[in-house]
Amino acid sequence: MSASIGLGKIILLGEHAVVYGYPALAAALDRGVAVGAVPTPAGGTLRVEIAAWDLKVSVTDEHPVAQAMVALADELGLGRPSITLVGDAQIPPGAGLGSSAALAVAAARALLVRTRGKADPASVARAASASEHVMHGRASGIDVALALGGGIGVFRKSTGLRSFACSALRVLVGPSGASRSTAAMVERVAHETQSRVDDARLRELGGLTDTGAEALVAGALPDLGAAMDRAHAILADLGVSTGQLDELCSTARAAGAYGAKLTGAGGGGAVIAIAPREHEAAILSAWKRAGVTGFVTVVGGGAA
Ligand code: MEV
């Protein structure tokens, strides 16, 4: 059984504003979800099993993942095939790291390969978007674009992901362990901004993406860090940070980070930091003392 992959992601700048059409700077992780398709015993219906997430659902269950898989199978025109999607995950669920899009992309690829012999990217993207709509409501599509295509780039709803080449960037990721709902956080921002695209905070977040992307390409990491710090403050003002996320960011800065912020929807989930290499161990130790086991991921570094 060969596995189909969907990658996790981090958003360096621009989450939430991206839902309103502003750009976001984001990168695929070097890890995600791998899924293989096997026959469901005794002709049973479509199922998903991800041991690392303690997840075992059938599409007939009352479960968000079951509903998402129904939308995905419907979009692919597959009905309810007698297939079990058996997966292995290297990212935690509900942590702002794109786990649901990674699963959706891997599942769509595995189903298409099993039933039609090949998985074309356009069908996978449509099916994964249908699944994400069920999971998150008003999603921008950024998670699916990265889960599917990998790389690093600037994403806009209107143009999709524009990848670019840059030197490899080491990013510290701290999953807080607190779960949250992306849909609820997107609704919170809608309430806070009254869904006004010209809200000054959303506009500033979009501008920080441009500043940060230029800094990244120029290798000016202190400037990228400063943009991340400012983005975190705006996201906190929009009501999507938590005391724990603020604390993890402050801890990282005090231990020598260029900058730190929440990543993804917020309300829990993960923080990210960039730092001079010699300060990485101190940041990870400080997070550990705060009860968070972080890791370093390397993004970018390849051709666009
Ligand atoms: C979720 O990874 C990022 C948000 O901007 C929602 C989205 O873009 O779909 C909060």
Side-chain angles (χ1 to χ4, degrees):
M1 178 178 73
S2 73
S4 297
I5 309 278
L7 295 171
K9 65 91 182 57
I10 48 171
I11 297 182
L12 289 158
L13 289 162
E15 52 273 271
H16 286 292
V18 71
V19 174
Y20 295 83
Y22 292 101
L25 175 62
L29 294 176
D30 51 5
R31 58 195 84 187
V33 178
V35 166
V38 297
T40 301
T45 190
L46 179 59
R47 297 180 51 77
V48 182
E49 297 181 3
I50 313 276
W53 295 347
D54 248 345
L55 177 77
K56 265 190 184 189
V57 293
S58 149
V59 287
T60 51
D61 293 341
E62 289 275 324
H63 192 286
V65 172
Q67 285 151 17
M69 287 301 129
V70 164
L72 184 140
D74 283 349
E75 180 62 41
L76 294 175
L78 293 178
R80 305 288 172 267
S82 185
I83 289 175
T84 298
L85 299 167
V86 184
D88 183 21
Q90 298 157 321
I91 51 174
L97 300 177
S99 56
S100 64
L103 171 59
V105 164
R109 280 180 165 147
L111 279 172
L112 283 172
V113 169
R114 176 93 197 174
T115 56
R116 307 219 174 113
K118 67 177 172 54
D120 69 289
S123 301
V124 173
R126 270 198 308 277
S129 301
S131 168
E132 282 290 273
H133 189 71
V134 171
M135 294 296 284
H136 300 315
R138 190 149 49 136
S140 64
I142 189 169
D143 290 16
V144 170
L146 285 154
L148 187 66
I152 185 165
V154 170
F155 177 93
R156 278 180 190 269
K157 263 192 345 185
S158 56
T159 51
L161 184 69
R162 294 252 162 93
S163 301
F164 57 75
C166 66
S167 304
L169 176 70
R170 295 171 64 84
V171 183
L172 293 102
V173 183
S176 71
S179 65
R180 85 296 170 257
S181 149
T182 296
M185 292 301 111
V186 169
E187 279 318 305
R188 180 168 297 183
V189 171
H191 181 74
E192 181 68 31
T193 60
Q194 295 171 351
S195 292
R196 289 174 63 110
V197 175
D198 61 354
D199 181 279
R201 293 163 295 183
L202 296 176
R203 222 181 20 238
E204 189 178 350
L205 284 172
L208 286 167
T209 293
D210 293 334
T211 315
E214 279 166 28
L216 175 60
V217 170
L221 297 191
D223 294 347
L224 174 59
M228 289 167 64
D229 284 348
R230 177 66 193 145
H232 183 81
I234 299 169
L235 290 165
D237 189 55
L238 287 170
V240 297
S241 189
T242 64
Q244 186 195 14
L245 298 179
D246 291 346
E247 196 57 43
L248 289 168
C249 290
S250 305
T251 304
R253 291 179 200 121
Y258 291 127
K261 62 182 277 291
L262 68 84
T263 186
V271 296
I272 53 170
I274 57 165
R277 185 95 176 235
E278 64 273 20
H279 293 312
E280 286 179 354
I283 295 166
L284 292 174
S285 301
W287 281 350
K288 189 91 191 165
R289 284 193 295 280
V292 166
T293 303
F295 61 91
V296 178
T297 190
V298 181
V299 299

CSV table of all heavy atoms in Angstrom, one decimal, residues 9 11 14-19 96-98 132 136 138-143 155 180 182 185-186 263-266, ligand 1:
chain,number,residue,atom,x,y,z
A,9,LYS,N,1.3,23.0,7.6
A,9,LYS,CA,1.8,24.3,7.3
A,9,LYS,C,2.0,25.2,8.5
A,9,LYS,O,1.5,25.0,9.5
A,9,LYS,CB,0.9,25.0,6.3
A,9,LYS,CG,-0.5,25.3,6.9
A,9,LYS,CD,-0.6,26.7,7.5
A,9,LYS,CE,-1.9,27.1,8.1
A,9,LYS,NZ,-2.5,26.4,9.2
A,11,ILE,N,1.8,29.6,9.1
A,11,ILE,CA,1.6,30.9,8.6
A,11,ILE,C,2.6,31.8,9.3
A,11,ILE,O,2.5,32.0,10.5
A,11,ILE,CB,0.2,31.4,8.7
A,11,ILE,CG1,-0.8,30.4,7.9
A,11,ILE,CG2,0.0,32.8,8.2
A,11,ILE,CD1,-2.2,30.8,7.9
A,14,GLY,N,0.0,37.0,8.3
A,14,GLY,CA,-1.2,37.3,7.5
A,14,GLY,C,-2.4,36.4,7.8
A,14,GLY,O,-3.4,36.6,7.1
A,15,GLU,N,-2.4,35.5,8.8
A,15,GLU,CA,-3.6,34.8,9.1
A,15,GLU,C,-4.7,35.7,9.4
A,15,GLU,O,-4.5,36.8,9.9
A,15,GLU,CB,-3.4,33.7,10.2
A,15,GLU,CG,-2.8,34.1,11.5
A,15,GLU,CD,-1.3,34.1,11.4
A,15,GLU,OE1,-0.7,33.1,11.7
A,15,GLU,OE2,-0.8,35.2,11.1
A,16,HIS,N,-5.9,35.3,9.2
A,16,HIS,CA,-7.2,36.0,9.4
A,16,HIS,C,-7.3,37.1,8.3
A,16,HIS,O,-8.3,37.1,7.6
A,16,HIS,CB,-7.3,36.6,10.8
A,16,HIS,CG,-7.6,35.5,11.8
A,16,HIS,ND1,-8.8,34.8,11.8
A,16,HIS,CD2,-6.9,34.9,12.8
A,16,HIS,CE1,-8.9,33.9,12.7
A,16,HIS,NE2,-7.7,34.0,13.4
A,17,ALA,N,-6.3,38.0,8.1
A,17,ALA,CA,-6.4,39.0,7.1
A,17,ALA,C,-6.6,38.3,5.7
A,17,ALA,O,-7.3,38.8,4.8
A,17,ALA,CB,-5.2,39.9,7.1
A,18,VAL,N,-6.0,37.1,5.6
A,18,VAL,CA,-6.0,36.4,4.3
A,18,VAL,C,-7.5,36.0,3.9
A,18,VAL,O,-7.8,36.0,2.7
A,18,VAL,CB,-5.1,35.2,4.3
A,18,VAL,CG1,-5.6,34.1,5.3
A,18,VAL,CG2,-4.8,34.6,3.0
A,19,VAL,N,-8.3,35.8,4.9
A,19,VAL,CA,-9.7,35.5,4.7
A,19,VAL,C,-10.4,36.7,4.0
A,19,VAL,O,-11.4,36.5,3.2
A,19,VAL,CB,-10.4,35.2,6.0
A,19,VAL,CG1,-11.9,35.0,5.8
A,19,VAL,CG2,-9.8,33.9,6.7
A,96,GLY,N,-3.4,24.4,14.7
A,96,GLY,CA,-3.0,25.6,13.8
A,96,GLY,C,-2.0,25.2,12.8
A,96,GLY,O,-1.4,26.1,12.1
A,97,LEU,N,-1.7,23.9,12.6
A,97,LEU,CA,-0.6,23.5,11.7
A,97,LEU,C,-1.2,22.9,10.4
A,97,LEU,O,-0.5,22.2,9.7
A,97,LEU,CB,0.4,22.6,12.4
A,97,LEU,CG,1.1,23.2,13.6
A,97,LEU,CD1,2.0,22.1,14.3
A,97,LEU,CD2,1.9,24.4,13.3
A,98,GLY,N,-2.5,23.1,10.2
A,98,GLY,CA,-3.1,22.6,8.9
A,98,GLY,C,-3.4,21.1,8.9
A,98,GLY,O,-3.4,20.5,7.8
A,132,GLU,N,-12.6,21.1,3.9
A,132,GLU,CA,-12.2,22.2,4.8
A,132,GLU,C,-13.4,23.1,5.0
A,132,GLU,O,-13.5,23.7,6.1
A,132,GLU,CB,-11.1,23.0,4.1
A,132,GLU,CG,-9.8,22.4,4.2
A,132,GLU,CD,-9.2,22.4,5.6
A,132,GLU,OE1,-8.6,23.4,6.0
A,132,GLU,OE2,-9.4,21.4,6.4
A,136,HIS,N,-14.2,24.1,8.7
A,136,HIS,CA,-13.8,25.5,9.2
A,136,HIS,C,-14.7,26.6,8.7
A,136,HIS,O,-14.5,27.7,9.0
A,136,HIS,CB,-12.4,25.8,8.7
A,136,HIS,CG,-11.3,24.9,9.2
A,136,HIS,ND1,-11.3,24.5,10.5
A,136,HIS,CD2,-10.3,24.3,8.6
A,136,HIS,CE1,-10.3,23.6,10.7
A,136,HIS,NE2,-9.7,23.5,9.5
A,138,ARG,N,-15.7,29.5,6.8
A,138,ARG,CA,-15.2,30.5,5.8
A,138,ARG,C,-13.7,30.4,5.8
A,138,ARG,O,-12.9,31.2,6.4
A,138,ARG,CB,-15.6,31.9,6.3
A,138,ARG,CG,-15.3,32.9,5.3
A,138,ARG,CD,-16.3,34.1,5.4
A,138,ARG,NE,-16.5,34.6,6.7
A,138,ARG,CZ,-16.6,35.9,7.0
A,138,ARG,NH1,-16.4,36.8,6.0
A,138,ARG,NH2,-16.9,36.4,8.2
A,139,ALA,N,-13.1,29.4,5.0
A,139,ALA,CA,-11.7,29.3,4.9
A,139,ALA,C,-11.1,30.0,3.7
A,139,ALA,O,-11.8,30.0,2.7
A,139,ALA,CB,-11.3,27.8,4.9
A,140,SER,N,-9.9,30.4,3.8
A,140,SER,CA,-9.3,31.1,2.6
A,140,SER,C,-8.8,30.2,1.5
A,140,SER,O,-8.6,30.6,0.4
A,140,SER,CB,-8.2,32.0,3.1
A,140,SER,OG,-7.1,31.2,3.6
A,141,GLY,N,-8.5,29.0,1.9
A,141,GLY,CA,-7.9,28.0,1.0
A,141,GLY,C,-6.4,27.9,1.1
A,141,GLY,O,-5.7,27.1,0.5
A,142,ILE,N,-5.8,28.7,2.1
A,142,ILE,CA,-4.3,28.7,2.2
A,142,ILE,C,-3.8,27.3,2.7
A,142,ILE,O,-2.8,26.8,2.2
A,142,ILE,CB,-3.9,29.8,3.2
A,142,ILE,CG1,-2.4,30.0,3.2
A,142,ILE,CG2,-4.4,29.6,4.6
A,142,ILE,CD1,-1.9,31.2,3.9
A,143,ASP,N,-4.6,26.7,3.6
A,143,ASP,CA,-4.1,25.4,4.1
A,143,ASP,C,-4.1,24.3,3.0
A,143,ASP,O,-3.1,23.5,2.9
A,143,ASP,CB,-5.0,24.9,5.3
A,143,ASP,CG,-4.8,25.8,6.5
A,143,ASP,OD1,-4.3,26.9,6.4
A,143,ASP,OD2,-5.3,25.3,7.6
A,155,PHE,N,0.3,33.8,-0.3
A,155,PHE,CA,-1.0,33.3,-0.8
A,155,PHE,C,-2.0,34.4,-0.7
A,155,PHE,O,-2.0,35.2,0.2
A,155,PHE,CB,-1.4,32.2,0.1
A,155,PHE,CG,-2.8,31.6,-0.2
A,155,PHE,CD1,-3.0,30.6,-1.0
A,155,PHE,CD2,-4.0,32.3,0.3
A,155,PHE,CE1,-4.3,30.1,-1.4
A,155,PHE,CE2,-5.2,31.8,0.0
A,155,PHE,CZ,-5.4,30.7,-0.8
A,180,ARG,N,-8.6,24.4,19.7
A,180,ARG,CA,-9.5,25.5,19.4
A,180,ARG,C,-10.2,25.2,18.1
A,180,ARG,O,-9.8,24.3,17.4
A,180,ARG,CB,-8.7,26.8,19.4
A,180,ARG,CG,-8.0,27.1,18.1
A,180,ARG,CD,-6.9,26.2,17.7
A,180,ARG,NE,-6.5,26.4,16.3
A,180,ARG,CZ,-6.8,25.6,15.3
A,180,ARG,NH1,-7.7,24.6,15.4
A,180,ARG,NH2,-6.3,25.8,14.1
A,182,THR,N,-11.0,26.7,14.4
A,182,THR,CA,-10.7,27.7,13.5
A,182,THR,C,-12.0,28.5,13.1
A,182,THR,O,-11.9,29.7,13.0
A,182,THR,CB,-10.1,27.0,12.2
A,182,THR,OG1,-8.9,26.4,12.5
A,182,THR,CG2,-9.9,28.1,11.1
A,185,MET,N,-12.8,31.1,15.6
A,185,MET,CA,-11.8,32.2,15.6
A,185,MET,C,-12.1,33.1,14.4
A,185,MET,O,-12.0,34.3,14.5
A,185,MET,CB,-10.4,31.7,15.6
A,185,MET,CG,-9.9,31.0,16.8
A,185,MET,SD,-10.0,32.1,18.3
A,185,MET,CE,-11.3,31.3,19.2
A,186,VAL,N,-12.4,32.5,13.3
A,186,VAL,CA,-12.7,33.3,12.1
A,186,VAL,C,-14.0,34.1,12.3
A,186,VAL,O,-14.1,35.3,12.0
A,186,VAL,CB,-12.9,32.4,10.8
A,186,VAL,CG1,-13.5,33.1,9.6
A,186,VAL,CG2,-11.5,31.8,10.4
A,263,THR,N,0.4,31.3,15.3
A,263,THR,CA,0.3,30.9,13.9
A,263,THR,C,-1.0,30.2,13.7
A,263,THR,O,-1.4,29.4,14.5
A,263,THR,CB,1.5,30.1,13.5
A,263,THR,OG1,1.4,29.9,12.0
A,263,THR,CG2,1.6,28.7,14.1
A,264,GLY,N,-1.7,30.5,12.6
A,264,GLY,CA,-3.0,29.8,12.3
A,264,GLY,C,-4.1,30.7,12.9
A,264,GLY,O,-4.0,31.9,13.1
A,265,ALA,N,-5.1,30.0,13.3
A,265,ALA,CA,-6.3,30.7,13.7
A,265,ALA,C,-6.2,31.3,15.1
A,265,ALA,O,-6.9,32.3,15.4
A,265,ALA,CB,-7.5,29.7,13.7
A,266,GLY,N,-5.3,30.7,16.0
A,266,GLY,CA,-5.2,31.3,17.4
A,266,GLY,C,-6.3,30.7,18.3
A,266,GLY,O,-6.9,29.7,17.9
B,1,MEV,C1,-6.0,29.1,9.3
B,1,MEV,O1,-4.8,28.3,9.1
B,1,MEV,C2,-5.8,30.5,8.9
B,1,MEV,C3,-7.0,31.4,8.9
B,1,MEV,O2,-6.5,32.6,8.3
B,1,MEV,C4,-8.2,30.8,8.2
B,1,MEV,C5,-8.0,30.7,6.7
B,1,MEV,O3,-7.2,31.4,6.1
B,1,MEV,O4,-8.7,29.8,6.2
B,1,MEV,C6,-7.4,31.8,10.4
